[in-house]
């Protein structure tokens, strides 16, 4: 199993892979937790701007930033960094959290690894049908996080909600 994980990680690095996950849910829970604050760095703000620039360029509404979404994105990046995997593991828990804390009834997520810039990441998402579907989805708010490993490779998580 460990050998398989190492092989998959090596393949992921060589391909600068992307994965996408999206979920639509009509259930809305009452907020029972407290939203977390998050301070974006310049790269994260640039990523969010590039996503909105893309949406506006094709006639869609720009999304509003919610710090709690970026906080949850940051937690997921920390997990991917610690496990050295690009994954959507735990998406259902993040989705449930955004539903209960923010009242989201649609949640989507894009992740990426090893892209150098916000623009190259968004370009890759635009060129991937499942990522593009999230970028162009019926959402109202979003957040993002970027974390870097010791080799300077970046892990990206961009989450979208509709509330």
């Amino acid at each position: 199993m460990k050998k398989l994980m190492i092989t998959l990680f090596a393949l992921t690095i060589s391909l600068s892979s992307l994965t996408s996950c999206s979920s639509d849910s009509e259930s809305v829970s009452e907020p029972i937790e407290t939203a977390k604050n998050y301070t974006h760095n310049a790269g994260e703000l640039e990523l969010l701007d590039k996503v909105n620039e893309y949406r506006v360029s094709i006639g869609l509404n720009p999304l509003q930033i919610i710090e709690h979404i970026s906080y949850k994105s940051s937690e997921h990046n920390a997990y991917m960094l610690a496990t050295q995997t690009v994954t959507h593991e735990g998406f259902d828990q993040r989705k449930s959290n955004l539903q209960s804390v923010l009242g989201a009834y649609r949640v989507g997520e894009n992740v990426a690894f090893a892209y150098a810039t916000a623009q190259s990441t968004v370009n890759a998402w635009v060129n991937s049908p499942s990522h593009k579907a999230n970028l162009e989805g019926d959402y109202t708010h979003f957040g993002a996080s970027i974390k870097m490993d010791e080799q300077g490779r970046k892990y990206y998580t961009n989450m979208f909600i509709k509330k």
Side-chain angles (χ1 to χ4, degrees), residues 31 56 128 130:
V56 169
S128 164
S130 59

Side-chain angles (χ1 to χ4, degrees), residues 5-17:
M5 292 296 290
I6 292 169
T7 302
L8 288 174
F9 181 67
L11 180 60
T12 300
I13 291 172
S14 67
L15 297 176
S16 293
S17 76

Side-chain angles (χ1 to χ4, degrees), residues 74-85 87 89-90 94:
S74 178
E75 285 183 335
H76 184 57
N77 275 348
Y79 173 79
M80 291 193 300
L81 187 64
T83 60
Q84 296 183 345
T85 58
T87 181
E89 189 170 330
R94 288 186 297 285

